[in-house]
């Protein structure tokens, strides 16, 4: 292709990409709508805690309850023990 016969533009930017008056600022309503949309997408794709694995959740809860009870028992014994 011979480019010497092609129309030359001084700016180098084709007319099709030149916009007359483009506002680069995003309005407050658009920013709020975009933020809300992203939050709804994140919320909609979450996995509820109990549907992950009910057995694993129950085991973790029992373990936490047993650890808490053992710690309370140890502290109770330490506080109620006679001091020499």
């Amino acid at each position: 292709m011979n480019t010497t016969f092609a129309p030359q533009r001084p700016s180098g930017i084709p007319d099709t990409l030149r916009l007359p008056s483009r506002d680069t600022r995003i309005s407050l309503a658009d920013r709020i709508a975009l933020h809300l949309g992203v939050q709804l997408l994140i919320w909609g794709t979450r996995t509820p805690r109990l549907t992950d694995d009910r057995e694993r959740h129950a085991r973790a809860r029992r373990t936490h309850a047993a650890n808490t009870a053992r710690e309370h028992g140890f502290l109770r014994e330490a506080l109620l023990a006679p001091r020499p």
Side-chain angles (χ1 to χ4, degrees):
M1 179 176 157
N2 193 352
T3 57
T4 58
F5 297 116
Q8 302 296 317
R9 289 182 175 65
S11 68
I13 300 172
D15 287 336
T16 56
L17 296 179
R18 204 177 297 159
L19 298 175
S21 63
R22 183 175 156 203
D23 190 14
T24 58
R25 293 173 293 171
I26 299 173
S27 70
L28 179 63
D30 287 338
R31 282 188 281 156
I32 291 172
L34 286 171
H35 183 71
L36 180 64
V38 168
Q39 293 301 320
L40 285 173
L41 283 172
I42 291 171
W43 183 79
T45 58
R46 79 195 189 318
T47 305
R49 189 174 58 178
L50 290 177
T51 59
D52 263 351
D53 185 6
R54 287 184 180 271
E55 183 59 35
R56 183 177 56 87
H57 178 71
R59 189 179 328 115
R61 186 177 170 95
R62 284 192 305 267
T63 303
H64 179 68
N67 288 343
T68 304
R70 186 173 61 247
E71 290 170 4
H72 283 294
F74 175 78
L75 290 175
R76 184 174 186 275
E77 290 294 323
L79 290 173
L80 293 178
R83 296 182 186 216

